[in-house]
Amino acid sequence: MKEYNICLLGGDGIGPEVTDEAVKVMNAVGKKYDMKFNFTKALIGGCAYEKYGVPLPDETLEIAKKSDAVLLGAVGDWKYDTLPPAVRPEKALLGIRKGLNLFANLRPATVFDELISSSTLKPEIVQGVDVMIVRELTGDVYFGEPKGVEVKDGKKVGYNNMIYWEDEVRRIAKIAFETAMLRNKKLCSVDKANVLDVSRLWREVVLEVAKDYPEVELSHLYVDNAAMQLIRDPKQFDVIVTGNIFGDILSDEASMLTGSLGMLPSASLSADGPGMFEPIHGSAPDIKNQNIANPIATILSAGMLLKYGLKNSQANDDIENAVKKVLKAGYRTKDIMSEGMKEVGTKEMGDLIVKNL
Ligand code: IPM
Ligand code: MG
């Protein structure tokens, strides 16, 4: 039996409820593969702020660093909207990404046949969509210096710095090419090289890395065009690689192809330390503790944890298949409910997935 230490960060809102279901599923699938998970809970986000006055306590980061992988629910609540930026829950996310050096963010957008009708796009456009967005996560305008708001010549001015070092681009490009090699060998790099210097460097480095991956068909799109192509004809994409801010925006757009934010997982990886796995949806405080949140995105994130974090692809396949079976059998949480289907709660959905493993 192999043991793994998992840092469990439920966070705020529906976070703890959905991670509870993912834990159930992990324990069940773990038995099959002789894996044992030791979960250590820690606080992050608003709940951490309440207790420690900071959204990312040192203790939490330490537990995360010492773990084999981190499973996160979600952070944030409207009640913290008026806090100073430095202690807002979102700051904890940026802090843990930087603290664990999670530079590679994988955001798959996969359309489940059973849920095609939940998308706002025409079925023939979204059926079969399977895009992997590889978003750089620790650089760009999110972290660039100098930044701030100050008064100059009697006027307020606010600024951030969109900046990439060549090695930052190189390492994310490598991950993207490797990802493409394991899929359909198509990679689209998204930038704004017609306007931005930082994007010209981005493109130059991506082209350089491409030399090591002759089998991958590489294309480049400007981000405005990419945003358009993603809803016009999403099936043209296999893997997309882009910087932090463009990836933030495009991954939200891609998620809507699938119709529900409640279905999409993500993985954030570093070069050597533990990865962090979380649903792409937020904390949805309006529906917390009502047993109506959709746990599937978090359960699929646990699948990514097993695949990318603990290198057990089969366990991930099992989880994905179990989710598909449950959807096929007509079970739905409220957010993806449609006529003729059977509505179930958060816990019931978790149990059904366990049963179908
Ligand atoms: C995301 C979120 C975060 C981001 C926020 C909450 C800091 O939008 O993970 O996409 O901008 O990266
Ligand atoms: Mg976002």
Side-chain angles (χ1 to χ4, degrees):
M1 169 104 60
K2 188 122 172 54
E3 292 200 22
Y4 299 91
N5 295 321
I6 310 295
C7 171
L8 188 63
L9 307 175
D12 305 317
I14 60 170
E17 296 165 61
V18 291
T19 46
D20 277 355
E21 298 314 306
V23 165
K24 269 202 247 179
V25 172
M26 280 180 73
N27 284 333
V29 82
K31 277 201 192 112
K32 184 168 163 191
Y33 294 99
D34 231 20
M35 301 167 94
K36 183 172 186 289
F37 306 111
N38 304 315
F39 293 97
T40 307
K41 289 190 180 179
L43 296 178
I44 190 167
C47 58
Y49 172 78
E50 304 272 352
K51 182 151 182 221
Y52 299 97
V54 288
L56 178 62
D58 293 342
E59 189 187 304
T60 297
L61 190 56
E62 277 320 301
I63 294 172
K65 276 184 181 162
K66 283 193 201 122
S67 70
D68 294 304
V70 181
L71 184 67
L72 173 75
V75 298
D77 193 317
W78 299 304
K79 64 183 177 196
Y80 308 115
D81 277 356
T82 51
L83 288 178
V87 290
R88 284 180 59 129
E90 293 83 355
K91 195 78 188 170
L93 264 189
L94 299 183
I96 196 162
R97 286 172 184 171
K98 202 71 175 173
L100 296 177
N101 203 10
L102 304 172
F103 69 90
N105 185 212
L106 307 186
R107 296 190 167 185
T110 316
V111 173
F112 290 88
D113 278 348
E114 290 76 15
L115 301 181
I116 280 182
S117 59
S118 350
S119 176
T120 49
L121 297 182
K122 296 194 190 99
E124 62 268 29
I125 302 286
V126 294
Q127 182 163 34
V129 161
D130 180 5
V131 187
M132 176 69 91
I133 297 190
V134 178
R135 169 190 177 192
E136 199 289 329
L137 203 60
T138 51
D140 204 349
V141 68
Y142 271 68
F143 294 95
E145 304 272 350
K147 61 172 182 153
V149 178
E150 55 186 88
V151 180
K152 269 188 184 160
D153 304 327
K155 285 189 286 193
K156 279 195 218 162
V157 58
Y159 50 91
N160 289 87
N161 186 8
M162 190 178 240
I163 176 169
Y164 268 118
W165 293 83
E166 59 174 315
D167 49 340
E168 289 178 310
V169 182
R170 199 166 290 123
R171 64 182 183 175
I172 193 70
K174 272 192 191 148
I175 297 270
F177 278 103
E178 294 290 342
T179 306
M181 283 299 286
L182 296 174
R183 295 173 45 106
N184 295 319
K185 302 190 176 150
K186 270 180 73 179
L187 176 64
C188 177
S189 169
V190 173
D191 61 36
K192 187 72 185 172
N194 51 343
V195 177
L196 303 173
D197 300 286
V198 54
S199 281
R200 280 196 284 275
L201 175 70
W202 175 281
R203 195 175 280 214
E204 190 186 310
V205 177
V206 169
L207 281 166
E208 213 180 276
V209 177
K211 290 183 193 145
D212 296 332
Y213 299 90
E215 278 175 65
V216 176
E217 182 194 320
L218 173 68
S219 61
H220 304 269
L221 283 182
Y222 298 137
V223 62
D224 48 351
N225 188 13
M228 181 177 76
Q229 296 297 338
L230 207 47
I231 45 167
R232 194 188 68 84
D233 175 23
K235 271 178 270 190
Q236 69 183 283
F237 295 108
D238 176 23
V239 181
I240 292 176
V241 63
T242 190
N244 205 345
I245 187 104
F246 297 157
D248 178 43
I249 299 163
L250 292 181
S251 62
D252 263 29
E253 188 190 2
S255 75
M256 273 298 104
L257 301 172
T258 72
S260 173
L261 218 47
M263 300 293 298
L264 297 183
S266 77
S268 302
L269 309 172
S270 79
D272 32 38
M276 185 165 85
F277 303 84
E278 60 179 308
I280 75 155
H281 62 69
S283 55
D286 53 326
I287 60 161
K288 80 169 173 195
N289 297 331
Q290 294 172 41
N291 194 38
I292 56 173
N294 184 349
I296 294 179
T298 313
I299 289 170
L300 293 172
S301 301
M304 289 188 93
L305 185 158
L306 290 158
K307 176 174 175 174
Y308 295 97
L310 309 181
K311 308 287 177 227
N312 186 339
S313 280
Q314 241 176 322
N316 178 49
D317 292 346
D318 290 349
I319 291 177
E320 285 182 1
N321 288 332
V323 168
K324 281 183 198 150
K325 273 196 224 159
V326 171
L327 292 175
K328 196 159 247 156
Y331 295 103
R332 302 284 187 273
T333 43
K334 198 178 165 110
D335 57 312
I336 50 174
M337 184 58 192
S338 61
E339 221 187 292
M341 300 293 139
K342 290 164 269 196
E343 191 172 322
V344 294
T346 310
K347 291 199 173 81
E348 292 69 34
M349 183 54 91
D351 291 339
L352 282 162
I353 292 168
V354 166
K355 232 190 262 165
N356 280 276
L357 276 169

